[in-house]
């Protein structure tokens, strides 16, 4: 497929205006205004001085597209100040890229013309420990006139975070990263693993001892606090979790963690896959989102009158999230391959229910141990995977949660045990394919309003196009096509 080719999308009315004119979505647009140019210039000079002493040559500025792929523009260190003042040019059509680099279009965003400016977030810029000479910063996208780009997923997450703050609420979030590691030289279609140790086995940790140490070292040198690293269930699979932080920060961190794991892997002659499934039928890679809701320094998931100590606000928030899970899959489970992972008895959370420490429930409540609950209580959205754009995932969950909180929703009864063993029909299955979650997304006024029309439509177009791409493909074909894209 050549650049500029438009993937057939029966429902899109043709290339839209490349320079979207729609206003940013309604969640706190003022929170995402660009700071004054002089201030940005000064801060960039300070950052460049710091990076120079770390022998940094260039800064990679990333954004994540609607297909969940991290895209990048890099500038030499000497150009950081200019990039901070004027942004780096990026084409708006990236908003309608698919995971295989085909390009679709959407009613508002798409087509070959127009330009956006990508601004590095200087608060997050950090030298990359596993890529000597490189630093990384997540980017926000604005128009040439300096207005927030309504298709920018990170600005959407920032607006959602600001909408919580407007209610006096803050969130702590963390995204678990699971990956499968294979020998770099193994055939694409038949990954060979560098360890054959059992699931969660010390055997695997011993086989890949130096590699895992180097992953830990690189993450620490980049200022990340690792909570755990361990082998996972599937062949060659591992997981790392890091300390919780604000939702936008957690989304940034999930990008940084994945690319750090990738860089360390390459240095060890290994290749990695964060794809939802590496082998059809096997347990896949999740991208579980943990989150807790706080008001004035108090964890609202603890000490309240609701189930397991939830306060009414936390219960309303979680009820809103639980209710919206079918449509949230459009944001948190981007690839059609995600539905091969999201099946019962894979700890992926294939059922729309909640339960204390229930690993088969899409929403797992975690209270923590006696004595640490005020700090530790949180909820885990298990059905998401790492093909998600993490900014869309956190922003969508916040929007759905705030809607539930505003409507004072209550949680349905808890489900304990394995939903797959329950009387058929008692526990709803989450969508089993993209068509079902897209239908829920199209009914969701909450997500539509929160995302704003340009972003809402761009996500819809990308999901439709990818779902059409794989409509006739069997599980092995889908797994093979997506295995090395994420
Ligand atoms: N790998 C599983 C998934 O696809 C999750 C295993 C776990 O509970 O950590 O989500
Ligand atoms: Mg895991």
């Amino acid at each position: 497929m050549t650049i500029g080719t438009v993937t057939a999308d029966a429902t899109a009315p043709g290339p839209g205006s490349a320079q979207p004119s729609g206003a940013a979505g309604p969640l706190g647009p003022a929170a995402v205004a660009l700071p004054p140019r002089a201030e940005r210039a000064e801060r960039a000079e300070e950052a460049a001085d710091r990076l120079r002493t770390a022998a940094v040559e260039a800064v990679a500025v990333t954004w994540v597209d609607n297909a969940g792929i991290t895209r990048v523009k890099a500038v030499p260190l000497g150009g950081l100040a200019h990039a901070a003042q004027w942004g780096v040019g990026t084409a708006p059509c990236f908003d309608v890229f698919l995971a295989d680099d085909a390009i679709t279009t959407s009613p508002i965003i798409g087509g070959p013309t127009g330009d956006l400016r990508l601004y590095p977030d200087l608060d997050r810029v950090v030298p990359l420990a596993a890529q000597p000479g490189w630093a990384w910063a997540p980017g926000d996208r604005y128009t040439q006139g300096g207005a927030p780009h309504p298709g920018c997923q990170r600005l959407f997450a920032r607006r959602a975070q600001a909408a919580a703050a407007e209610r006096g609420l803050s969130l702590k979030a963390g995204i678990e990263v699971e990956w499968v590691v294979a020998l770099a030289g193994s055939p694409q279609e038949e990954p060979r693993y560098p360890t054959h140790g059992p699931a969660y086995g010390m055997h695997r940790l011993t086989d890949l001892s130096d590699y895992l140490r180097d992953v830990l070292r690189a993450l620490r040198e980049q200022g990340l606090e690792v909570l755990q690293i361990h082998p996972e269930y599937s062949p060659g699979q591992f997981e790392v979790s890091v300390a919780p932080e604000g939702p936008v920060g957690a989304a940034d961190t999930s990008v940084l963690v994945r690319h750090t794991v990738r860089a360390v892997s390459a240095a060890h002659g290994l290749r990695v896959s964060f794809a939802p499934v590496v082998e059809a039928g096997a347990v896949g890679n999740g991208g579980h989102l943990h989150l807790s809701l706080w008001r004035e320094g108090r964890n609202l998931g603890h000490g309240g009158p609701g189930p397991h100590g939830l306060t009414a606000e936390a219960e309303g928030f979680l009820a809103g999230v639980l209710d919206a899970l079918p449509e949230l899959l459009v944001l948190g489970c981007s690839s059609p391959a995600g539905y091969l992972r999201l099946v019962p008895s894979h700890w992926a959370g294939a059922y729309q229910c909640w339960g204390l420490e229930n690993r088969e429930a899409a929403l797992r409540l975690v209270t923590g141990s006696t004595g640490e609950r005020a700090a530790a209580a949180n909820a885990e959205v298990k059905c998401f995977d790492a093909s998600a754009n993490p900014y869309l995932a956190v922003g969508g969950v916040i929007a759905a949660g705030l809607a539930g909180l505003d409507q004072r929703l209550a949680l349905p009864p808890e489900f304990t045990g394995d939903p797959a063993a329950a009387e058929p029909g008692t526990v709803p299955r989450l969508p089993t394919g993209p068509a079902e979650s897209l239908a829920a997304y199209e009914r969701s006024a909450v997500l539509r309003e929160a995302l704003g029309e340009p972003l809402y439509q761009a996500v819809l177009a990308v999901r439709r196009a990818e779902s059409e791409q794989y409509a006739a493909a069997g599980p092995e074909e889908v797994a093979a096509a997506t295995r090395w894209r994420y």
Side-chain angles (χ1 to χ4, degrees), residues 176 178 200 232 237 239 283-286 288 341 346-348 359 382:
E176 292 178 8
E178 294 184 337
Y200 308 101
E232 255 291 342
Q237 196 180 29
E239 170 177 332
V283 168
N285 289 320
H288 307 172
R341 162 189 166 265
H346 282 53
W347 290 2
R359 287 175 178 75
K382 281 190 79 79

Side-chain angles (χ1 to χ4, degrees), residues 206-273:
T206 307
D207 283 351
L208 292 179
S209 175
D210 290 353
Y211 164 65
L212 295 170
R213 177 209 56 216
D214 287 352
V215 169
L216 285 173
R217 182 178 289 159
L219 294 174
R220 176 179 52 76
E221 286 178 2
Q222 290 166 183
L224 299 177
E225 186 194 339
V226 171
L227 300 178
Q228 276 189 36
I229 190 163
H230 61 86
E232 255 291 342
Y233 189 85
S234 269
Q237 196 180 29
F238 290 87
E239 170 177 332
V240 67
S241 51
V242 294
E245 59 194 303
V248 176
D252 290 336
T253 294
S254 86
V255 173
L256 180 58
V257 168
R258 278 179 278 154
H259 291 284
T260 303
V261 168
R262 192 182 293 286
V264 175
S265 303
H268 282 260
L270 302 169
R271 78 193 304 189
V272 288
S273 171

Side-chain angles (χ1 to χ4, degrees), residues 39 147 177 217 301 335 349 362 384 467 484:
E39 191 183 312
V177 174
R217 182 178 289 159
S335 168
F384 290 178
S467 135
W484 304 117

Side-chain angles (χ1 to χ4, degrees), residues 189-207:
E189 30 331 308
E190 202 191 319
R192 301 215 178 107
Y193 303 107
T195 171
H196 297 285
Y200 308 101
M202 180 62 189
H203 183 154
R204 278 194 208 173
L205 193 143
T206 307
D207 283 351

